[in-house]
Amino acid sequence: MTADYEFGIVGTGFGGLIAALKLQALGKNSFVMFERASEIGGTWRDNVYPGCACDVQSNLYSIESQPNPAWSHTFSTQPEIWQYMKNVIAKNHLAPHIRLNTTVTAAHFLEKEAVWLLRDHHGRETRVRMLLLAMGLLNRPNTPHFAGMERFRGEIVHSAEWRTDIDLRGKRVAVIGTGASAIQIVPAVAPVVKQLSVFQRTPAWIVPRFDKAVSAFRKNLFRRFPALQRFVRKRIFWANELSGYTFVHDTRLRLIPELFAQWHLKRHIKDPALRRAFTPAYELGCKRVLVSDDFYPTFNLPHVRLETAPIQEFTENGLRCEGGTEQIFDVIVLATGFIAADIDWGIEITGLQGRNLMDEWKHNGAEAYLGTTVSGFPNLALVLGPNTGGGHNSVLDTMESQMGYVAEYIRLLETQVPTAFLDLRADVQSAYNQRLQTMFHGTVWSSGCKSWYHNAQGKNTTIYPQLNKHFRNAVRVLHPADYTIRVLSSTT
Ligand code: NAP
């Protein structure tokens, strides 16, 4: 049986859009995109908490072929980024390819037909020759269970599942967590709430963002001279690479960003005890570096407090910390992040000999080759798969680089008969992952801290332990010898 489409893409976040645009650029228009929600957007659709914005500059955090001269700020907010994604879809006529409200529940590689059979939650089946999974890593909220949680009578809301019906005006609010989401929520809600308590478990390194509105003059310049915006994009990329240097090399230069962050803290927090409470005890970069101009100043407001004692339990009316008394809250915000490193996309994905990808990842830790292809799972590409993240630059750059590799893969596939499939050699994947794990030695990510970069076994399955330019180089060329070309059940 032939395929319904040449390509299937799961996900319509930035990964899905970048994949679709690359297919179009290759002249491939036979593709279908699956989206479980009623609107496109991935993480930029889901994260609608107050203050949600990108901590990478918009001139870089955008698709290279889709410049936007109209970004309103250096760092754009969620509504603007989401609108940008919708504009990209409209401009490139992607909507007819997208099936909204469609959750892919299973993807089986049918060896005898060399197609992927996709099943969705409506029971519908779709066959595609090649499958691209673009589901991202930050979409499973981490919802810790605190003792007595169920008896709390107020509202509990996770930052990634924000409810627009919750009105925080005049309320007593607790925010649990001080990660990238919390540091945006806290300054955004502080002006309207009656009382705000922020529960910090581990202080984070925070550097200033220096965000500002983009002038009409500058927008005009970008509109009239696109090369100027491309230059700015490159400048930001290389400046970020420079800052990433201290992450990937064991160097005393790491002290420079730490001193910068300490200066930022001292500038805004005058109380020595509060300053101490905000001072991290791990090396900058080991956890995601946070970027904010307004988080620290918020703690100078009289109704905002930092709590550092561990939370003991939730009560009917609030919560209690170890050694403390009950604190009363109307709303408790869990800004407690995501389960990212134990990747589970919630799809039954089976490859050759019925191998189950999610089961294998669960038992052995997530692994791929260049975060993009997986041995035993032919004609499959991952957009932002295991070990593709970085702590210092734009993940959109990583995804665009990956799609260059996928284009090579498609070219190789196309030189074969239509029933052929490409299977990554197991030894190539295993050697790559051994090398990758040794590359962590001496980087900041092995300097000793606990973060969402590590899975339950303590293995880092999310970070690519080099600069983006190295990743770009690594995926620049596909070596055909890394793959076994198979035709139906015979091997060449
Ligand atoms: P996060 O960085 O993992 O932060 C979670 C916070 O919750 C941490 O402070 C953590 O403390 C705390 N926490 C977790 N479980 C807890 C518990 N049981 N008790 C007390 N505290 C607990 O999550 P996030 O802030 O949602 O950010 C996740 C990632 O999303 C970021 O690193 C970033 O990559 C991305 N993000 C990006 C943007 C952007 O601007 N582009 C914005 C938001 C998020 P510990 O540190 O002690 O674990």
Side-chain angles (χ1 to χ4, degrees):
M1 193 180 284
T2 55
D4 301 305
Y5 298 90
E6 265 191 90
F7 302 94
I9 301 171
V10 184
T12 64
F14 266 117
L17 297 196
I18 286 169
L21 292 172
K22 189 67 182 184
L23 292 180
Q24 284 186 329
L26 295 171
K28 310 279 171 212
N29 286 304
S30 172
F31 64 89
V32 58
M33 301 174 74
F34 299 90
E35 172 52 63
R36 66 187 154 89
S38 59
E39 296 196 77
I40 66 96
T43 190
W44 292 107
R45 171 203 60 229
D46 294 340
N47 283 272
V48 294
Y49 58 75
C52 183
C54 188
D55 55 12
V56 177
Q57 299 92 321
S58 297
N59 280 326
L60 180 63
Y61 196 85
S62 39
I63 302 170
E64 191 168 20
S65 63
Q66 312 290 317
N68 175 20
W71 289 120
S72 69
H73 284 74
T74 321
F75 297 84
S76 297
T77 57
Q78 176 271 336
E80 199 172 352
I81 297 169
W82 193 24
Q83 186 56 50
Y84 164 80
M85 297 175 86
K86 291 177 192 167
N87 294 348
V88 168
I89 287 188
K91 189 174 145 216
N92 295 281
H93 312 288
L94 289 176
H97 294 273
I98 300 174
R99 285 189 203 160
L100 296 171
N101 299 306
T102 306
T103 304
V104 175
T105 54
H108 303 298
F109 185 70
L110 306 183
E111 202 170 334
K112 294 211 161 63
E113 299 170 39
V115 294
W116 279 95
L117 171 70
L118 308 181
R119 207 164 279 132
D120 65 39
H121 79 292
H122 303 295
R124 185 170 167 180
E125 293 187 344
T126 309
R127 283 157 195 264
V128 299
R129 185 163 185 218
M130 182 166 178
L131 177 61
L132 294 102
L133 298 177
M135 285 169 291
L137 298 184
L138 298 176
N139 48 22
R140 278 200 300 150
N142 168 40
T143 308
H145 185 267
F146 294 96
M149 214 167 175
E150 48 297 324
R151 62 174 182 244
F152 178 62
R153 288 190 306 205
E155 300 278 6
I156 299 176
V157 62
H158 192 284
S159 57
E161 294 169 333
W162 197 259
R163 287 185 13 222
T164 44
D165 61 310
I166 294 186
D167 184 0
L168 295 182
R169 279 176 298 184
K171 300 272 169 61
R172 294 160 296 186
V173 178
V175 174
I176 301 180
T178 49
S181 302
I183 64 151
Q184 296 181 339
I185 295 171
V186 166
V189 305
V192 301
V193 302
K194 181 175 171 198
Q195 177 208 320
L196 181 60
S197 298
V198 181
F199 292 81
Q200 172 183 276
R201 191 165 65 175
T202 314
W205 288 104
I206 306 178
V207 294
R209 198 156 73 134
F210 299 126
D211 186 30
K212 57 177 195 270
V214 180
S215 67
F217 174 73
R218 200 174 162 91
K219 288 182 199 166
N220 223 359
L221 269 184
F222 285 162
R223 206 168 283 121
R224 292 186 59 191
F225 306 107
L228 188 63
Q229 195 173 22
R230 284 199 295 276
F231 170 76
V232 171
R233 180 185 175 92
K234 281 198 172 26
R235 185 180 54 71
I236 300 168
F237 175 84
W238 288 108
N240 288 353
E241 288 289 88
L242 200 61
S243 72
Y245 183 87
T246 63
F247 296 177
V248 303
H249 295 285
D250 190 2
T251 159
R252 292 184 67 81
L253 290 176
R254 267 186 208 158
L255 274 177
I256 298 173
E258 288 189 5
L259 288 172
F260 182 48
Q262 281 165 5
W263 165 80
H264 181 52
L265 172 61
K266 278 188 191 139
R267 201 159 72 108
H268 293 294
I269 303 291
K270 302 296 172 203
D271 172 9
L274 192 53
R275 226 186 245 174
R276 260 194 313 279
F278 273 132
T279 302
Y282 60 87
E283 291 192 30
L284 182 144
C286 189
K287 285 169 179 269
R288 169 97 178 184
V289 179
L290 308 186
V291 190
S292 173
D293 296 328
D294 47 9
F295 178 69
Y296 288 143
T298 306
F299 290 85
N300 295 323
L301 298 172
H303 66 298
V304 180
R305 296 176 45 175
L306 182 73
E307 298 285 348
T308 55
I311 296 166
Q312 183 182 320
E313 61 174 351
F314 280 33
T315 61
E316 271 186 24
N317 299 310
L319 58 79
R320 182 180 290 114
C321 289
E322 283 174 18
T325 52
E326 184 186 31
Q327 303 187 43
I328 310 297
F329 296 110
D330 304 303
V331 180
I332 298 179
V333 177
L334 302 176
T336 44
F338 301 88
I339 301 169
D342 291 292
I343 305 173
D344 183 355
W345 284 320
I347 299 181
E348 190 191 356
I349 302 165
T350 60
L352 300 176
Q353 290 97 46
R355 283 174 55 184
N356 185 310
L357 186 60
M358 293 300 110
D359 277 356
E360 289 188 6
W361 282 3
K362 192 170 166 191
H363 292 112
N364 311 327
E367 270 192 5
Y369 178 55
L370 298 167
T372 312
T373 55
V374 188
S375 178
F377 297 84
N379 296 6
L380 172 76
L382 315 176
V383 187
L384 222 59
N387 294 104
T388 50
H392 67 287
N393 224 324
S394 167
V395 287
L396 303 200
D397 178 74
T398 305
M399 297 185 210
E400 296 201 60
S401 307
Q402 279 187 293
M403 281 312 295
Y405 185 85
V406 174
E408 296 269 303
Y409 187 105
I410 294 169
R411 277 188 207 108
L412 180 61
L413 190 59
E414 284 192 333
T415 58
Q416 316 301 320
V417 295
T419 52
F421 50 90
L422 303 183
D423 186 23
L424 176 72
R425 283 173 27 210
D427 60 317
V428 172
Q429 179 172 321
S430 144
Y432 171 76
N433 279 283
Q434 277 174 25
R435 215 168 47 245
L436 187 100
Q437 290 301 324
T438 60
M439 273 153 59
F440 277 107
H441 299 156
T443 69
V444 76
W445 299 288
S446 8
S447 62
C449 73
K450 198 169 162 284
S451 77
W452 62 260
Y453 298 157
H454 298 95
N455 69 10
Q457 286 75 40
K459 180 177 167 187
N460 192 320
T461 62
T462 54
I463 290 288
Y464 181 71
Q466 289 290 315
L467 298 176
N468 275 45
K469 69 170 185 168
H470 294 121
F471 187 77
R472 281 180 176 183
N473 282 338
V475 293
R476 186 154 282 146
V477 179
L478 178 145
H479 301 288
D482 290 346
Y483 292 85
T484 306
I485 299 165
R486 294 170 189 251
V487 180
L488 292 182
S489 286
S490 66
T491 307
T492 56

